[in-house]
Amino acid sequence: MSDETTTIAELQQLLRRFTQERDWGQFHHPKDLGVALAIEVGELLEPFRYRTNEEIRQILADPAALREISHEVADCVWLLLRLADVCGFDVSDALKEKIELAAAKYPVALVRGRPDKY
């Protein structure tokens, strides 16, 4: 599998099958998936806490550390995809709509290169 060739639908089907084989659907309510996601995001941020940008670059240059971080990102994506599936909305549609809303809220002419809210 690779990002270049794998669809969101394929990933959701993989996760759905994994969940069904273990009878874990009974635990995958929106609240529970949201709580699990918050915990996983915290685990993802742990290696970066109180570190400078240079220290973070060094962490990311270490293949073992990068692998651990990639697993934490995968946990977050896993939970986001399950949450969307359980709630019954299309992730691609939601992301496209959100980008359109953000483009209207943050016009290029007003925000290009600025980190602050205009």
Side-chain angles (χ1 to χ4, degrees):
M1 297 184 100
S2 77
D3 288 349
E4 294 291 323
T5 60
T6 307
T7 67
I8 291 173
E10 288 171 323
L11 293 172
Q12 284 183 314
Q13 181 57 40
L14 180 71
L15 294 171
R16 200 177 297 125
R17 188 170 43 251
F18 183 92
T19 299
Q20 289 168 347
E21 289 170 350
R22 288 153 183 81
D23 191 28
W24 285 355
Q26 62 185 315
F27 309 116
H28 289 185
H29 304 289
K31 172 198 55 90
D32 301 307
L33 292 168
V35 168
L37 176 60
I39 292 166
E40 291 300 336
V41 168
E43 291 177 12
L44 169 62
L45 294 175
E46 186 65 29
F48 307 126
R49 187 171 59 167
Y50 307 126
R51 302 268 172 37
T52 66
N53 287 337
E54 181 53 38
E55 290 170 323
I56 292 169
R57 276 191 283 281
Q58 291 173 5
I59 291 168
L60 296 175
D62 174 17
L66 184 60
R67 185 165 192 232
E68 288 179 32
I69 291 166
S70 76
H71 287 175
E72 295 303 336
V73 168
D75 286 341
C76 293
V77 171
W78 182 327
L79 288 161
L80 284 168
L81 291 177
R82 281 297 296 146
L83 183 59
D85 195 29
V86 166
C87 289
F89 65 86
D90 187 286
V91 173
S92 296
D93 283 344
L95 182 58
K96 182 177 181 287
E97 181 179 345
K98 186 63 179 180
I99 290 170
E100 290 168 355
L101 291 169
K105 185 175 182 180
Y106 303 105
V108 172
L110 295 177
V111 301
R112 183 168 172 78
R114 293 179 58 175
D116 59 328
K117 250 189 165 172
Y118 64 93

